[in-house]
Amino acid sequence: MSILQIALDVPLPRLFDYRHDGDLPENAVGRLAKVPFGTGSRVGVVLGVVEQSDQPAEKLKSAELLGELPALPADWLELCRFCARYYHHPLGQVMAFALPPLLRKGKKPRPIKPKVGAGETAEGRRASNMETAPSSNAATADQAAAIDAIVKASGFQTFLLHGVTGSGKTEVYLRAIEAVLARGGQALMLVPEIALTPQLESRVSARFPGAHVVSAHSGVADAARARAFLAALEGRAAIVLGTRLSVFMPMPALRLIVVDEEHDASFKQQEGLRYSARDVAIYRARQRDIPIVLGSATPSLETFHHAESGRYTRLELPERAVAAAELPTVVTVDTRRQKLQDGLSAELIAAVGERLRRGEQSLLFLNRRGYAPVLACPACGWISHCRRCAANLVLHLADRRLRCHHCGLEATIPHHCPDCGNLDLQPFGRGTQRLEAKLAEQFPEARTLRIDRDSADSPKKWQALLAAIHAGEADILVGTQMLAKGHDFPKLTLVGVVGADAALFAADFRAPERLFAQIMQVGGRSGRHDLPGAVLIQTEYPDHPLYRALVEHDYTAFANAQLAEREGAGFPPFAFQAMLRAEARELKEALAFLHAAVSSAPTFAEVLLYDPVPMRLARLKNRERAQLLVESRSRPALQGFLTQWMAALYGLKTPRELRWHLDVDPLEF
Ligand code: ADP
Ligand code: ZN
Ligand code: ZN
């Protein structure tokens, strides 16, 4: 009798032993197996076959191998093991996360009729012998040098493709992918959450008409996702294009990984397995001994630091690819010297008016949705707050609701103050809806379009909005960062940045980095074609170094200044961090757990534990939350510490209601 060691989707860092009756196929490791567990059954992954179990043989239950599904390859299993080790997450849960839901249930997707063209198509085609539709443009000299370096790389090498907005980074990716496909390899291209649009999918498919391109993101239906996974696993899919979770696509002939907009926060998952897809992708490239390209106009400081130190190879595209396109002119408007009209300066209003006369588009960037962040009573000081979170309810006038942006709680707008009865409740502050209303009033003849998560709350609406902008059906766009990435609107020549100052003084040490990237990205939408573009930043701090660097288009100066500050303060990338978080019904329970965690921590000279503190959003959905930061100058020391510490933490007695997790390399504080 053989004993199978199986990884199951349970929150325990161990494998489970099961019996296998009858003949065992040769390659049992990596196969899915259905096993009885508790009162039901589960599907897990076989990770080992042994003769002996720690448990008495008669106690072992029997596993059923799911033979009709292909075995998962060894490098995929190892990738999951790495994530389990590095993020200190139970291996069975890592695998359950990495598998498409259908396979996790032990089901095989029904095949679809092959159809060649785009998206999930051309089942059965080999990845080799690819015809490609050549790009109509000759590569610029900078592009050619970058492509050449990537194509010539032998073995593992990390490239930072640092190119200004519109410099033709995508073209570099596509040509590097072309070279990989010509040699029969597979390529993986990761893009941020909202950058993965049908436009990008069709751009890639159109470029490789004979190739089987699959896309993978959370919006793909279960059956399609499972088919994409199998197509990648069986080597039929030549290109996998997807958001962070596609870093887990098994690809036996993987020869190149691209991470576009590598600085984007959506590559880090904020729940369950808190992995960074960019970092996992780098591990994977090393594991497979292949090149990886990290592309951005505003690289993360971690990546920039590695390029400075020479660990990553820097490739630069300092100019826009379209010959006639220049980088936009960036200016600040000092708003201390004038009275704003509903948040808009005379300069910005005039600039929008001029674009209207010329038949060009303007985009006003305000990273706050809703009408106003809070509704308040001037008589008694009442404000609209969420009863489940330590946060305000945001006023949404479009559908006349108050809404919590953290937990989704909704309420009707009160007709009078709930505390004192005052009828005159006032909105405070400004969101995209209010800006939209103001613009409609100021420019009644213009067609104004608002783009945020409310107006684009489904992929369908989002596509419709993008199509309307492309068709020139809007003169003024008002939007959040949804519009910042990847889009190319030929008639857009003005970007106005409104209400960005608050982020200059946020407590989070990463806030300036994010703000700089956002403004540079959104400003980069302007003047991408033959019309010159402008960016106008309204601020009370026109001399702030962050804005000065934006005016100068000087990412490098900004990055170096930030790195110097971080080095002085001992922040990443000069230190490595992990965050232990706990949530409970009462704050004191969460804090008590964290204090117990401190007491049970092993002593490591190089590892520093901070005091447990309430999280910035201390209450979310009626749960009180606290956190404990752990830091070290040495990654191996931190990892060694965490491994020992986690074993102790799993042994701590906790109140039934308490939940805790560890976040390695946290982005949110
Ligand atoms: P990025 O990803 O760097 O923002 P894109 O790859 O989207 O830039 O390219 C920006 C624009 O430049 C696109 O319209 C693209 O078609 C065009 N482009 C890219 N490479 C070239 C080239 N070599 N010659 C002319 N136009 C190009
Ligand atoms: Zn009141
Ligand atoms: Zn809430």
Side-chain angles (χ1 to χ4, degrees), residues 135 137-140 143 163-173 175 203 260-261 317 320-323 486 488 525 528-529:
S135 154
N137 298 310
T140 64
Q143 283 174 323
V164 299
T165 54
S167 59
K169 294 185 286 295
T170 311
E171 189 57 35
V172 172
Y173 308 145
R175 297 215 189 197
R203 185 170 169 190
D260 187 28
E261 311 283 10
L317 305 179
R320 285 196 157 168
V322 174
D488 205 341
R525 300 312 105 210
R528 289 169 70 94
H529 293 259

Side-chain angles (χ1 to χ4, degrees), residues 385-393 403-410 617 619-622:
H385 63 250
C386 178
R387 58 183 157 74
R388 302 201 294 169
C389 308
N392 293 331
L393 290 179
R403 193 170 286 135
C404 175
H405 284 187
H406 298 282
C407 75
L409 180 87
E410 291 197 12
L617 183 66
R619 187 159 36 92
L620 177 68
K621 296 186 195 174
N622 282 332

Side-chain angles (χ1 to χ4, degrees), residues 377-382 417-422 425:
C377 170
C380 78
W382 172 87
C417 173
D419 283 1
C420 77
N422 174 18
L425 296 176

